[in-house]
Amino acid sequence: MNSKKNSLLILGASSFISKPLIEAIQKKFSLKILCQSRKNLKENFSNYKNKIIFSNIDYSKDNYKIDYIHECKYVINLINSSNLNSNEIKNVRRFLKYVLKISNAELIHISTASVYGSCQDKIICEDSLCYPKNKYQIIKRLDEIYLQKLATDIGTKCFILRPTEIIGYKSQNASKFIKNYISSSFFKRYLIKSFNGLRTMHFVSCDYLVSTIIKIIERKTSPGIYLVSQDSDKANDFIEFCKIIEEIKPSRFNYFINKFYKFPLYWLFKIIYRIFRENQIPPDSKFISKKPIINLNDFYPLRKDLNKHINYILDNQKES
């Protein structure tokens, strides 16, 4: 790769991942950071105005005007195509093709573990087959296929990351469950735990995902598809997750529920889950990468980020 290239392009830079990602990149590398989004980003990144080049390109037009694009070493794609219509998806892909052709940049595409759809494997890894069922899963999988082929045709490297449910840094994931659980009665909490007891939550820290992207930029891994998951962390067990909520928001019911609840309703839950959630993996399946870019043993426990995430959700609730 041309050593004179010193730019990095982030597409879909309005994503909540962008801020911690940009901070991590600036700490590690001397790269011009180009941020492209259909939204006005300058207010979101007011502290970085002199360090980031913002653009708001209309993908539907052919005359793309964006400085330093030919100097790009990497393109990080955070665009969620499932929020776009078919014409918008075509336009985004055309723009990506244009950027990769003139820069020969390496592509880091953030996909999702949801592409496995209704896969029934007990342990889901990179080798597991994808069975996308709903619109979101299908579009995400088609994006992966298109971008892998595009990178091969152009002759550049492609890294596809499949994170599970990202928490941390102003993510709203699991906010509905957290709020509902805190406001639940003793009996409702007992039912929730009895139904969901052996379930895996599939949370992954935003910091863990960002650190994975940084490792790729450091050129310490090979191109390919990577599952980004912390399912092996104890904090992803449903009961443990409930305990973390209870420690932050104590209730006089906690001791009795944690001491006496069993799982008599769990098998009923599994049957109901298979009927009404047929687009998803079994509730007790785990996403475990066979080739993690960052070893989980070298990363701090998920519990730390879950604590911050739950506190953020609760603080947000007070303000609203």
Side-chain angles (χ1 to χ4, degrees), residues 2-18:
N2 188 341
S3 60
K4 292 182 181 177
K5 291 185 177 182
N6 65 343
S7 299
L8 178 148
L9 172 63
I10 299 175
L11 298 177
S14 59
S15 166
F16 71 88
I17 303 169
S18 295

PDB file of all heavy atoms in Angstrom, residues 2-18:
ATOM      1  N   ASN A   2       0.415   2.252  -0.737  1.00  0.00           N
ATOM      2  CA  ASN A   2       1.154   3.504  -0.854  1.00  0.00           C
ATOM      3  C   ASN A   2       1.290   4.171   0.509  1.00  0.00           C
ATOM      4  O   ASN A   2       0.306   4.516   1.164  1.00  0.00           O
ATOM      5  CB  ASN A   2       0.402   4.429  -1.820  1.00  0.00           C
ATOM      6  CG  ASN A   2       1.203   5.674  -2.155  1.00  0.00           C
ATOM      7  OD1 ASN A   2       2.129   6.035  -1.441  1.00  0.00           O
ATOM      8  ND2 ASN A   2       0.849   6.309  -3.244  1.00  0.00           N
ATOM      9  N   SER A   3       2.547   4.368   0.950  1.00  0.00           N
ATOM     10  CA  SER A   3       2.789   4.933   2.287  1.00  0.00           C
ATOM     11  C   SER A   3       2.392   6.400   2.367  1.00  0.00           C
ATOM     12  O   SER A   3       2.270   6.955   3.446  1.00  0.00           O
ATOM     13  CB  SER A   3       4.269   4.772   2.653  1.00  0.00           C
ATOM     14  OG  SER A   3       5.061   5.457   1.712  1.00  0.00           O
ATOM     15  N   LYS A   4       2.194   7.067   1.185  1.00  0.00           N
ATOM     16  CA  LYS A   4       1.811   8.474   1.185  1.00  0.00           C
ATOM     17  C   LYS A   4       0.333   8.663   1.506  1.00  0.00           C
ATOM     18  O   LYS A   4      -0.109   9.769   1.783  1.00  0.00           O
ATOM     19  CB  LYS A   4       2.130   9.092  -0.183  1.00  0.00           C
ATOM     20  CG  LYS A   4       3.627   9.195  -0.469  1.00  0.00           C
ATOM     21  CD  LYS A   4       3.887   9.847  -1.817  1.00  0.00           C
ATOM     22  CE  LYS A   4       5.375   9.929  -2.096  1.00  0.00           C
ATOM     23  NZ  LYS A   4       5.655  10.499  -3.437  1.00  0.00           N
ATOM     24  N   LYS A   5      -0.421   7.617   1.446  1.00  0.00           N
ATOM     25  CA  LYS A   5      -1.841   7.726   1.761  1.00  0.00           C
ATOM     26  C   LYS A   5      -2.003   7.983   3.259  1.00  0.00           C
ATOM     27  O   LYS A   5      -1.483   7.234   4.079  1.00  0.00           O
ATOM     28  CB  LYS A   5      -2.574   6.447   1.365  1.00  0.00           C
ATOM     29  CG  LYS A   5      -2.655   6.242  -0.147  1.00  0.00           C
ATOM     30  CD  LYS A   5      -3.490   5.020  -0.468  1.00  0.00           C
ATOM     31  CE  LYS A   5      -3.650   4.853  -1.966  1.00  0.00           C
ATOM     32  NZ  LYS A   5      -4.501   3.687  -2.285  1.00  0.00           N
ATOM     33  N   ASN A   6      -2.739   9.031   3.587  1.00  0.00           N
ATOM     34  CA  ASN A   6      -2.847   9.386   5.010  1.00  0.00           C
ATOM     35  C   ASN A   6      -4.253   9.818   5.400  1.00  0.00           C
ATOM     36  O   ASN A   6      -4.437  10.625   6.299  1.00  0.00           O
ATOM     37  CB  ASN A   6      -1.843  10.494   5.352  1.00  0.00           C
ATOM     38  CG  ASN A   6      -2.161  11.793   4.631  1.00  0.00           C
ATOM     39  OD1 ASN A   6      -2.915  11.808   3.652  1.00  0.00           O
ATOM     40  ND2 ASN A   6      -1.609  12.892   5.112  1.00  0.00           N
ATOM     41  N   SER A   7      -5.261   9.272   4.697  1.00  0.00           N
ATOM     42  CA  SER A   7      -6.648   9.623   5.008  1.00  0.00           C
ATOM     43  C   SER A   7      -7.461   8.367   5.321  1.00  0.00           C
ATOM     44  O   SER A   7      -7.117   7.265   4.901  1.00  0.00           O
ATOM     45  CB  SER A   7      -7.306  10.355   3.821  1.00  0.00           C
ATOM     46  OG  SER A   7      -6.632  11.547   3.544  1.00  0.00           O
ATOM     47  N   LEU A   8      -8.533   8.598   6.052  1.00  0.00           N
ATOM     48  CA  LEU A   8      -9.452   7.516   6.400  1.00  0.00           C
ATOM     49  C   LEU A   8     -10.868   8.066   6.275  1.00  0.00           C
ATOM     50  O   LEU A   8     -11.160   9.148   6.778  1.00  0.00           O
ATOM     51  CB  LEU A   8      -9.170   7.039   7.828  1.00  0.00           C
ATOM     52  CG  LEU A   8     -10.051   5.939   8.417  1.00  0.00           C
ATOM     53  CD1 LEU A   8      -9.229   5.080   9.380  1.00  0.00           C
ATOM     54  CD2 LEU A   8     -11.242   6.531   9.177  1.00  0.00           C
ATOM     55  N   LEU A   9     -11.719   7.346   5.568  1.00  0.00           N
ATOM     56  CA  LEU A   9     -13.092   7.800   5.335  1.00  0.00           C
ATOM     57  C   LEU A   9     -14.064   6.975   6.172  1.00  0.00           C
ATOM     58  O   LEU A   9     -14.032   5.744   6.151  1.00  0.00           O
ATOM     59  CB  LEU A   9     -13.445   7.654   3.848  1.00  0.00           C
ATOM     60  CG  LEU A   9     -14.906   7.905   3.452  1.00  0.00           C
ATOM     61  CD1 LEU A   9     -15.321   9.346   3.731  1.00  0.00           C
ATOM     62  CD2 LEU A   9     -15.127   7.563   1.972  1.00  0.00           C
ATOM     63  N   ILE A  10     -14.938   7.677   6.920  1.00  0.00           N
ATOM     64  CA  ILE A  10     -15.998   7.014   7.674  1.00  0.00           C
ATOM     65  C   ILE A  10     -17.326   7.351   7.013  1.00  0.00           C
ATOM     66  O   ILE A  10     -17.718   8.519   6.931  1.00  0.00           O
ATOM     67  CB  ILE A  10     -16.022   7.464   9.150  1.00  0.00           C
ATOM     68  CG1 ILE A  10     -14.699   7.115   9.841  1.00  0.00           C
ATOM     69  CG2 ILE A  10     -17.182   6.806   9.889  1.00  0.00           C
ATOM     70  CD1 ILE A  10     -14.591   7.633  11.265  1.00  0.00           C
ATOM     71  N   LEU A  11     -18.017   6.328   6.523  1.00  0.00           N
ATOM     72  CA  LEU A  11     -19.341   6.507   5.921  1.00  0.00           C
ATOM     73  C   LEU A  11     -20.405   6.201   6.968  1.00  0.00           C
ATOM     74  O   LEU A  11     -20.276   5.265   7.747  1.00  0.00           O
ATOM     75  CB  LEU A  11     -19.515   5.574   4.718  1.00  0.00           C
ATOM     76  CG  LEU A  11     -18.549   5.777   3.551  1.00  0.00           C
ATOM     77  CD1 LEU A  11     -18.807   4.731   2.469  1.00  0.00           C
ATOM     78  CD2 LEU A  11     -18.684   7.171   2.973  1.00  0.00           C
ATOM     79  N   GLY A  12     -21.489   6.988   6.965  1.00  0.00           N
ATOM     80  CA  GLY A  12     -22.514   6.818   7.992  1.00  0.00           C
ATOM     81  C   GLY A  12     -22.017   7.317   9.326  1.00  0.00           C
ATOM     82  O   GLY A  12     -22.255   6.707  10.369  1.00  0.00           O
ATOM     83  N   ALA A  13     -21.324   8.453   9.285  1.00  0.00           N
ATOM     84  CA  ALA A  13     -20.621   8.948  10.482  1.00  0.00           C
ATOM     85  C   ALA A  13     -21.541   9.515  11.555  1.00  0.00           C
ATOM     86  O   ALA A  13     -21.077   9.921  12.612  1.00  0.00           O
ATOM     87  CB  ALA A  13     -19.586   9.999  10.078  1.00  0.00           C
ATOM     88  N   SER A  14     -22.845   9.513  11.306  1.00  0.00           N
ATOM     89  CA  SER A  14     -23.781   9.952  12.358  1.00  0.00           C
ATOM     90  C   SER A  14     -24.059   8.828  13.354  1.00  0.00           C
ATOM     91  O   SER A  14     -24.740   9.040  14.365  1.00  0.00           O
ATOM     92  CB  SER A  14     -25.100  10.437  11.741  1.00  0.00           C
ATOM     93  OG  SER A  14     -25.694   9.403  10.977  1.00  0.00           O
ATOM     94  N   SER A  15     -23.554   7.623  13.094  1.00  0.00           N
ATOM     95  CA  SER A  15     -23.724   6.496  14.008  1.00  0.00           C
ATOM     96  C   SER A  15     -23.118   6.809  15.376  1.00  0.00           C
ATOM     97  O   SER A  15     -22.110   7.509  15.481  1.00  0.00           O
ATOM     98  CB  SER A  15     -23.053   5.246  13.433  1.00  0.00           C
ATOM     99  OG  SER A  15     -22.909   4.240  14.399  1.00  0.00           O
ATOM    100  N   PHE A  16     -23.725   6.261  16.445  1.00  0.00           N
ATOM    101  CA  PHE A  16     -23.209   6.511  17.803  1.00  0.00           C
ATOM    102  C   PHE A  16     -21.803   5.939  17.992  1.00  0.00           C
ATOM    103  O   PHE A  16     -21.080   6.326  18.903  1.00  0.00           O
ATOM    104  CB  PHE A  16     -24.166   5.948  18.858  1.00  0.00           C
ATOM    105  CG  PHE A  16     -24.214   4.439  18.937  1.00  0.00           C
ATOM    106  CD1 PHE A  16     -23.336   3.751  19.754  1.00  0.00           C
ATOM    107  CD2 PHE A  16     -25.141   3.721  18.200  1.00  0.00           C
ATOM    108  CE1 PHE A  16     -23.374   2.366  19.838  1.00  0.00           C
ATOM    109  CE2 PHE A  16     -25.195   2.337  18.274  1.00  0.00           C
ATOM    110  CZ  PHE A  16     -24.309   1.656  19.098  1.00  0.00           C
ATOM    111  N   ILE A  17     -21.398   5.023  17.115  1.00  0.00           N
ATOM    112  CA  ILE A  17     -20.062   4.428  17.211  1.00  0.00           C
ATOM    113  C   ILE A  17     -18.979   5.426  16.791  1.00  0.00           C
ATOM    114  O   ILE A  17     -17.821   5.314  17.197  1.00  0.00           O
ATOM    115  CB  ILE A  17     -19.966   3.168  16.314  1.00  0.00           C
ATOM    116  CG1 ILE A  17     -21.034   2.150  16.688  1.00  0.00           C
ATOM    117  CG2 ILE A  17     -18.591   2.528  16.391  1.00  0.00           C
ATOM    118  CD1 ILE A  17     -21.169   1.024  15.689  1.00  0.00           C
ATOM    119  N   SER A  18     -19.363   6.412  15.977  1.00  0.00           N
ATOM    120  CA  SER A  18     -18.369   7.297  15.351  1.00  0.00           C
ATOM    121  C   SER A  18     -17.492   8.051  16.343  1.00  0.00           C
ATOM    122  O   SER A  18     -16.276   8.135  16.170  1.00  0.00           O
ATOM    123  CB  SER A  18     -19.064   8.310  14.434  1.00  0.00           C
ATOM    124  OG  SER A  18     -19.682   7.658  13.367  1.00  0.00           O
TER     125      SER A  18
END
